[in-house]
């Protein structure tokens, strides 16, 4: 499969990443968390920082970093994780 093409990249993404309902649940929880941060901190952010979306933007940036880490972590083969587990075992 060629990853350079759009169809190849999409099939790789679907087969390795969105094949489990666990990831869809993670995305849903991240979305709910963003809504919670927005709704609970808007007034405080306006009063203290002059930007109602201050905390939401920060949370969105860290959510993006977390998604990148999640995508990276799903690409690591399980055998590497098992070998590196050491005394914690798997």
């Amino acid at each position: 499969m060629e990853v350079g093409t759009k169809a190849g990249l999409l099939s790789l993404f679907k087969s390795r990443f969105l094949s489990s309902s666990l990831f869809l649940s993670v995305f849903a929880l991240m979305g709910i968390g963003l809504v919670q941060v927005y709704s609970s901190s808007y007034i405080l952010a306006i009063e203290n920082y002059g930007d109602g979306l201050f905390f939401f933007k920060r949370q969105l940036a860290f959510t993006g970093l977390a998604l990148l880490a999640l995508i990276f972590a799903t690409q690591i083969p399980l055998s590497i994780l098992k070998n590196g587990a050491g005394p914690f075992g798997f």
Side-chain angles (χ1 to χ4, degrees), residues 1-13:
M1 162 177 33
E2 268 202 44
V3 180
T5 65
K6 187 176 181 179
L9 184 61
L10 184 61
S11 65
L12 176 69
F13 188 72

Side-chain angles (χ1 to χ4, degrees), residues 17-34 63 67 70:
F17 191 64
L18 291 178
S19 61
S20 174
S21 61
L22 175 65
F23 293 114
L24 294 176
S25 301
V26 168
F27 289 136
L29 288 172
M30 285 182 169
I32 291 169
L34 285 170
T63 300
L67 285 175
L70 178 67

Side-chain angles (χ1 to χ4, degrees), residues 77-90:
L78 187 58
S79 61
I80 292 175
L81 295 176
K82 284 183 178 181
N83 290 337
F88 301 109
F90 271 102

Side-chain angles (χ1 to χ4, degrees), residues 17-84:
F17 191 64
L18 291 178
S19 61
S20 174
S21 61
L22 175 65
F23 293 114
L24 294 176
S25 301
V26 168
F27 289 136
L29 288 172
M30 285 182 169
I32 291 169
L34 285 170
V35 170
Q36 290 291 322
V37 167
Y38 173 75
S39 67
S40 65
S41 65
Y42 187 80
I43 299 297
L44 180 70
I46 282 181
E47 290 174 354
N48 292 340
Y49 299 102
D51 179 15
L53 298 175
F54 178 78
F55 293 112
F56 178 77
K57 290 175 187 175
R58 288 186 57 174
Q59 187 69 22
L60 187 62
F62 283 110
T63 300
L65 289 173
L67 285 175
L68 288 175
L70 178 67
I71 290 170
F72 176 75
T74 58
Q75 303 305 313
I76 299 172
L78 187 58
S79 61
I80 292 175
L81 295 176
K82 284 183 178 181
N83 290 337

